[in-house]
Amino acid sequence: MLEDLYSNSEEAEIVFSNIINYDNKTKKKTYPKRKLEFVNNINKGSYFWNYSPISTLNKIYKRDYLERNDLNFIKEIIYEDTIFSIKALFLANKVKYIDKFHYNYRINRNGSTMTITHSDRKKEKFNSFNLLAINSLKIIVKEIENFEKKYGKN
C-alpha cells in the first residue's frame, strides 16, 4: 500500500486510495463502490471531500505540506483524525486519488472504541468513554470554528 501511494505522490500533497471493510463478526469483506472520474488526476483537496473517508488510514501526506500548514493531531482526544482530515483536505491544492483497494478497515472488532456493545453501554466504563467523546467533539467543533475564521468558508 505505502509503496504504491508513495510512487504516485511526486506532484501531490496528499495521495489516497480505497478501503476494504472487513467485518470481524461475519468475516466478510465489502468493497465500497466508488468510481471517480478523476482517477490519477491532481485536484484541489476540497474536491475530494465527498469521496474520501474522513479517516487518515488510506492517505499519505507530504511532510513539507504538513509543516507548511502546521497540521498536527490534537493530543488526548478521540476522533483526532476527523479535524486533521478536514484541515488537510481543505488546505491541499494537490490531491491525487488512486483507484485501488489497499487498506482493510476492521468493523465490529472486539475492544474497539467504535464498536461498543449495548451491554457495555450500561457499564461505568462506557460513561467515561461517553464523557471523553463529548469533550473531544467540543474541542473539534472549536477547532473547526477557528479554522473557518482563519481560512473562510472556501
Side-chain angles (χ1 to χ4, degrees):
M1 171 191 153
L2 291 177
E3 291 96 4
D4 195 16
L5 294 177
Y6 182 77
S7 69
N8 281 282
S9 69
E10 192 171 309
E11 298 174 37
E13 297 161 324
I14 301 171
V15 180
F16 75 98
S17 63
N18 294 312
I19 296 172
I20 302 163
N21 291 316
Y22 176 79
D23 191 320
N24 265 29
K25 286 185 182 176
T26 66
K27 308 296 183 212
K28 291 183 181 177
K29 290 183 178 182
T30 56
Y31 298 80
K33 294 181 182 173
R34 89 177 51 145
K35 274 293 187 192
L36 306 179
E37 298 173 10
F38 40 78
V39 175
N40 295 322
N41 292 334
I42 303 291
N43 292 287
K44 178 119 175 77
S46 56
Y47 188 72
F48 290 101
W49 184 251
N50 292 320
Y51 305 106
S52 175
I54 196 71
S55 63
T56 56
L57 49 86
N58 66 328
K59 299 172 184 70
I60 62 169
Y61 306 83
K62 288 255 175 106
R63 172 184 254 172
D64 66 326
Y65 165 72
L66 297 176
E67 290 172 347
R68 190 172 59 250
N69 290 287
D70 195 28
L71 292 170
N72 299 293
F73 287 95
I74 300 171
K75 295 179 182 170
E76 299 179 10
I77 67 168
I78 56 174
Y79 313 121
E80 68 279 359
D81 53 348
T82 301
I83 187 63
F84 179 88
S85 292
I86 289 169
K87 290 177 179 181
L89 281 173
F90 276 96
L91 292 175
N93 290 311
K94 299 175 182 176
V95 178
K96 187 173 186 179
Y97 164 70
I98 307 302
D99 189 19
K100 293 183 182 178
F101 290 90
H102 284 114
Y103 190 87
N104 287 298
Y105 180 72
R106 292 183 176 267
I107 56 175
N108 295 319
R109 183 174 56 88
N110 287 337
S112 169
T113 57
M114 304 312 287
T115 55
I116 294 176
T117 64
H118 180 67
S119 61
D120 288 338
R121 293 174 188 200
K122 296 177 183 174
K123 296 177 183 175
E124 184 66 33
K125 189 164 90 174
F126 180 76
N127 290 333
S128 296
F129 174 78
N130 229 4
L131 185 58
L132 176 61
I134 290 167
N135 287 334
S136 295
L137 291 172
K138 285 179 182 178
I139 292 169
I140 290 169
V141 167
K142 189 70 172 162
E143 284 286 319
I144 291 170
E145 288 170 350
N146 291 339
F147 183 77
E148 185 179 55
K149 285 177 189 172
K150 184 173 181 179
Y151 295 100
K153 296 180 182 182
N154 301 339

